Amino acid sequence: LWNVLLSFSGLVALIQLLFLPFFPESPPYLLLQKGDKNGCLEAMKQLWGEGNYHTEFEDMLKERAATKGTKIMNVLEVLKEPSVRRQLSIMLLLLLSIQLCGLKIFRTANIQESIIPYVSLGVAISELFSIIFCSSIIDRFGRRILLWGGYLLMALILVLFETSLQLSDQFSWMRYCSVILIFLFIIAYGIGP
């Protein structure tokens, strides 16, 4: 019944997708990234109710002043930075070990055993692509839009994935659609949630 469990996570993502438009942007995002002081205060009031948020607001202003002189690094600069090599190595090790988890899905999709290691490599490349892509667009669009779009794509992909698994016994080419949908799901997850 793993497909029911997979569908349940899609249902949770759909519920989050429906409620996300009713939440305000993050106050630190509004102040630190957008420079919108009034929007930040309004978001604080909407999230926490009426009250005096002067202390929290001052802390965010101090953080803004502290980070004003720092340069935002792109992906290549982060990869070249010696101070983060250990963290990057651990993250890469975790990403590589996660690849062993998808073998059951690939077998259920009737993928040939000899192709599964290459498909797992494709999953890792999809994860890497989504991390690089998300880190380059998050400042431009903000977390809210990426979350909303990611959950919407994930819900749609899960419906298509379940359909492709049901039809994989009837049509042999559906197994490749399942693999492509897994790649797309990973990319949507990496860009959004």
Side-chain angles (χ1 to χ4, degrees), residues 52-70:
N52 186 4
Y53 306 111
H54 185 70
T55 306
E56 291 86 357
F57 188 73
E58 289 297 321
D59 288 343
M60 282 190 262
L61 285 175
K62 288 176 186 174
E63 182 181 347
R64 183 179 180 194
T67 60
K68 194 165 190 134
T70 59

Side-chain angles (χ1 to χ4, degrees), residues 122-186:
V123 168
I125 292 170
S126 298
E127 288 175 358
L128 183 63
F129 172 76
S130 66
I131 290 168
I132 292 170
F133 185 68
C134 181
S135 65
S136 64
I137 65 170
I138 194 166
D139 289 334
R140 183 178 305 154
F141 295 107
R143 289 188 181 124
R144 184 178 188 168
I145 292 173
L146 293 180
L147 279 172
W148 192 80
Y151 281 129
L152 181 64
L153 282 173
M154 286 169 56
L156 176 67
I157 290 168
L158 284 175
V159 169
L160 294 173
F161 181 64
E162 182 64 28
T163 305
S164 72
L165 287 178
Q166 296 298 325
L167 296 175
S168 66
D169 291 335
Q170 296 170 352
F171 304 103
S172 62
W173 54 270
M174 270 299 193
R175 65 183 74 161
Y176 301 107
C177 289
S178 299
V179 171
I180 291 169
L181 289 169
I182 289 171
F183 291 168
L184 292 176
F185 181 83
I186 291 168

